[in-house]
Amino acid sequence: MDRRRFLTLTGAAGLTAVSVAGPAQAAGFPYVNRRIPDEAHTKMGELAPYGITAFAFTPSNGWVVVTRDGRYFARGIPDACFAELGRLAGAGRTIHCVAFPPEGGDRWVITTDRGVSARGLPEACHQRISADYAAGRQVVDVAFPPAGGERWVVTSTTGFFARGVDDECYQMMRNLTQGGRRVTRVAFPPGGGWAVVAQDEFHVRGIDDECYRQMTALAGDGWQLHNLAFSPVAGGWSLGSRGKAPALPADRVRQVENRVGIRERMSAWNTPGVAVAVVVGNTIAWSTGYGVLEAGGAAAAHPETAFQAASISKAVAAVGVLRLLQNRGLPLDGDVRPHLGWTLPRRPCVPETAVPTVDRLLTHRAGVVGRGSTSPADACSGFTSGGGGFAGYGPGATVPTLLRVMNGEGNSPRIELTTDPGAEYHYSGAGFVLLQRMVEQLTGLPLARYMDEEVFAPLGMRSSSYALSPGFELASGHTATGAVIPGRRNRYPESAAAGLYTTVLDLCRLIAYLNRAWTSSGDIGGPLTRASARTLLTTGPQPGMGRGLFVSGAGTDGFSYTHDGSNYGFKSVFKGYPELGAGYAVLANGDNMALVNEVAAAIRSVYGWA
């Protein structure tokens, strides 16, 4: 899919397609105008050969055009703005941008290669522009959505800052920046919509159809879109270039998007929102979000959005368990039962000498068979596979205590020794409930608080929590048909097994830490010693498993650890490559794992990770 067509136009209903001439050329620099004042069109033609750096409309349809060598012409702009343009041009300043807040009157801003002149801007906007110049960054564009007030975008030579703009517009600016592109223009039609222009690509939503076609034609011919402005009346617009688009390194974000066809696949799998982050060189190379937090809502999914991570909860909880063993000097192969404050039942066929160790619980070999696999109550073999999860508790349901869950007084069977520990592998969320109980009994803290203090805080995972209902922004879960699940999210008192809320950014912070801890020659800052980190990621009693994580490729550059997750309405996966200093996380608020797997496969393909 052409990356410039990544965002499908919406909001253009009712516009009539017409046959139009192509872009005009002026000394090799193309420009296109529609429904703007005749004089403005004429002046643009006269000035285009000198390279237009700014063209802008006032809220009353005045206009101004400026070239890179200081030529300018204006009609109907505030007198003070016109006078300042003359002063700046006379002083030899290169004018990057002229913009007018939608409230009208004597409000304007002019940014140059050596500073800013402004009047009547929102105070925070003016402060941001001044801060950029103070830090040595030139401001190349200032844009105001039509609603006015504290809504604005400031783009500089190194980045952007936005306030009060459409979530998707903000996310696209972020995506382009992380893809190695500098945002050069942002524009807002008076009737809604937006356009974000970068050095060699652009993305739009809800703009005039013909404007989009002409932008596509210019970009397709290799021109950089330097100027884009929307008239406040009659649906007019103007766009132009003063040179060819630069040759830039591959945009990995776009490559992943295009490889998977993210928007189309989200629609196909009825998944409203997805967040993605990628680690390269043990730092977060980029992160992005697609879609919305909830079907029918306007709030976009961001990398900072917390999703239910489902069974990734087990992998993260394993870090906390090893931290506890490390700090208390407890053996990994020790019996868990003395630390439970509760008698673990066993079926008659399980010998009295059986020992469910912490290590066996972490690797699903402790004889604790998962939910849904334990019938009939006296069976000791023939259990179904895949019964290791929990259903959660929807709206109106009483959430039982952890002890009641263990006793079978919730919506799952009681936890017991069902097979001889060590003899068989049975993926078991119930086993992680016992580990949760052990942590809480030994520390006197709820798992949520323990993990906050001992794991999340040291790693900077500020938007991760095992609480039933965290206070930060949360995505809503959706059924396989795309409907919001009742109550938006089920609750999981079996927190270590299924109750983690986290973001792709936090998961990638964990990946970067574990990668460094594995490859380091000694201890590094964080919750685990080098020895504990090695234990976490080294194959244990179960082939293909570390502790709480699945591992593969040991002894090769492609060595990796991973876990995925599946709760009602949420799907997830994360994966790290210690020897490559790499990894990724994908979180989705839909009920089909295929989409998450497709995104993960696209990441691996683009980066060449086996």
Side-chain angles (χ1 to χ4, degrees):
M1 180 178 63
D2 184 342
R3 63 189 175 192
R4 295 181 178 89
R5 296 183 180 276
F6 167 60
L7 287 180
T8 303
L9 276 174
T10 61
L15 295 178
T16 302
V18 295
S19 176
V20 297
Q25 296 280 131
F29 297 145
Y31 64 95
V32 189
N33 300 314
R34 293 289 182 267
R35 296 178 294 277
I36 72 171
D38 289 343
E39 188 180 25
H41 177 74
T42 299
K43 287 299 178 183
M44 178 169 281
E46 294 174 0
L47 294 176
Y50 304 98
I52 293 172
T53 58
F55 183 85
F57 293 100
T58 72
S60 57
N61 210 34
W63 51 272
V64 58
V65 57
V66 184
T67 68
R68 57 189 168 193
D69 67 352
R71 301 165 195 258
Y72 66 96
F73 193 93
R75 187 71 72 191
I77 71 172
D79 289 343
C81 180
F82 185 79
E84 185 66 5
L85 276 173
R87 186 187 73 80
L88 294 170
R93 303 287 180 85
T94 298
I95 294 170
H96 296 317
C97 162
V98 183
F100 305 92
E103 289 84 357
D106 193 13
R107 296 179 176 87
W108 47 270
V109 58
I110 306 169
T111 69
T112 77
D113 57 340
R114 284 179 283 169
V116 59
S117 298
R119 181 173 293 182
L121 298 188
E123 183 62 27
C125 179
H126 200 166
Q127 289 175 355
R128 178 65 198 188
I129 296 170
S130 299
D132 276 332
Y133 280 106
R137 299 184 293 264
Q138 296 181 37
V139 172
V140 297
D141 191 38
V142 182
F144 302 97
E150 280 293 345
R151 300 174 179 87
W152 44 269
V153 178
V154 174
T155 61
S156 73
T157 48
T158 59
F160 74 94
F161 192 93
R163 177 168 293 181
V165 303
D166 176 90
D167 265 350
E168 190 178 38
C169 177
Y170 171 85
Q171 189 62 60
M172 184 48 63
M173 288 186 277
R174 177 177 182 157
N175 289 3
L176 288 166
T177 301
Q178 293 180 104
R181 272 59 186 160
R182 180 164 56 84
V183 176
T184 56
R185 282 290 183 267
V186 181
F188 300 96
W194 49 265
V196 176
V197 179
Q199 293 159 289
D200 66 344
E201 59 184 287
F202 66 88
H203 298 276
V204 301
R205 179 71 75 190
I207 73 168
D208 179 276
D209 271 340
E210 185 193 349
C211 181
Y212 174 70
R213 290 196 298 271
Q214 294 289 3
M215 293 172 74
T216 301
L218 286 175
D221 288 337
W223 294 102
Q224 181 174 348
L225 297 174
H226 291 95
N227 304 291
L228 175 63
F230 294 100
S231 167
V233 297
W237 48 268
S238 174
L239 62 93
S241 173
R242 59 178 183 273
K244 291 290 187 174
L248 297 173
D251 182 342
R252 298 294 195 188
V253 184
R254 300 288 86 71
Q255 287 181 329
V256 171
E257 290 170 354
N258 296 339
R259 182 80 56 137
V260 74
I262 183 69
R263 291 280 175 177
E264 291 88 344
R265 301 309 291 160
M266 288 172 65
S267 176
W269 294 119
N270 296 314
T271 299
V274 176
V276 185
V278 170
V279 172
V280 176
N282 284 334
T283 61
I284 299 174
W286 56 270
S287 61
T288 186
Y290 305 99
V292 292
L293 301 182
E294 182 173 305
H302 292 294
E304 294 84 1
T305 301
F307 292 70
Q308 283 188 356
S311 286
I312 290 177
S313 306
K314 300 177 181 69
V316 178
V319 177
V321 170
L322 289 184
R323 165 81 171 174
L324 180 65
L325 300 183
Q326 164 190 298
N327 288 356
R328 298 294 180 97
L330 298 173
L332 185 62
D333 60 358
D335 191 340
V336 73
R337 290 174 295 184
H339 309 304
L340 297 179
W342 174 77
T343 300
L344 177 61
R346 63 178 178 85
R347 294 195 177 181
C349 49
V350 177
E352 293 185 13
T353 56
V355 178
T357 67
V358 174
D359 203 12
R360 287 169 174 169
L361 288 168
L362 286 167
T363 55
H364 305 284
R365 296 190 68 92
V368 180
V369 178
R371 171 184 174 271
S373 301
T374 56
S375 297
D378 59 350
C380 291
S381 62
F383 302 112
T384 60
S385 61
F390 290 97
Y393 295 84
T398 299
V399 178
T401 64
L402 192 67
L403 189 60
R404 291 189 63 200
V405 170
M406 293 159 61
N407 286 327
E409 298 170 10
N411 60 6
S412 56
R414 73 172 185 170
I415 298 176
E416 59 187 357
L417 288 178
T418 313
T419 63
D420 191 3
E424 302 175 23
Y425 171 83
H426 292 283
Y427 184 80
S428 176
F432 275 77
V433 169
L434 296 182
L435 291 171
Q436 177 180 342
R437 174 73 176 185
M438 178 189 75
V439 169
E440 294 183 346
Q441 287 293 108
L442 287 174
T443 65
L445 299 174
L447 180 70
R449 182 175 169 186
Y450 170 78
M451 292 295 291
D452 284 347
E453 295 177 359
E454 300 295 327
V455 176
F456 298 150
L459 295 179
M461 298 172 66
R462 298 181 181 88
S463 296
S464 297
S465 177
Y466 281 95
L468 288 179
S469 298
F472 34 75
E473 180 184 71
L474 303 176
S476 297
H478 296 79
T479 68
T481 63
V484 181
I485 67 174
R488 294 187 170 90
R489 294 163 289 275
N490 277 358
R491 295 158 294 169
Y492 295 85
E494 311 91 352
S495 305
L500 174 65
Y501 287 91
T502 191
T503 69
V504 291
L505 292 172
D506 277 1
L507 286 176
C508 282
R509 291 183 179 103
L510 177 61
I511 289 170
Y513 166 73
L514 293 178
N515 287 353
R516 290 186 293 107
W518 173 267
T519 57
S520 174
S521 59
D523 294 345
I524 64 173
L528 300 180
T529 63
R530 181 179 185 273
S532 293
R534 284 264 164 172
T535 297
L536 182 79
L537 301 181
T538 298
T539 301
Q542 173 61 28
M545 279 208 77
R547 275 72 183 184
L549 287 152
F550 297 92
V551 297
S552 65
T556 72
D557 286 346
F559 168 58
S560 67
Y561 56 88
T562 188
H563 212 296
D564 60 16
S566 178
N567 276 4
Y568 181 37
F570 294 92
K571 299 293 179 279
S572 58
V573 69
F574 87 125
K575 190 170 189 174
Y577 299 86
E579 301 297 337
L580 301 178
Y584 59 83
V586 184
L587 298 172
N589 62 355
D591 208 41
N592 195 301
M593 193 68 192
L595 175 64
V596 169
N597 290 335
E598 289 171 9
V599 175
I603 294 169
R604 295 193 300 271
S605 176
V606 165
Y607 283 93
W609 298 334

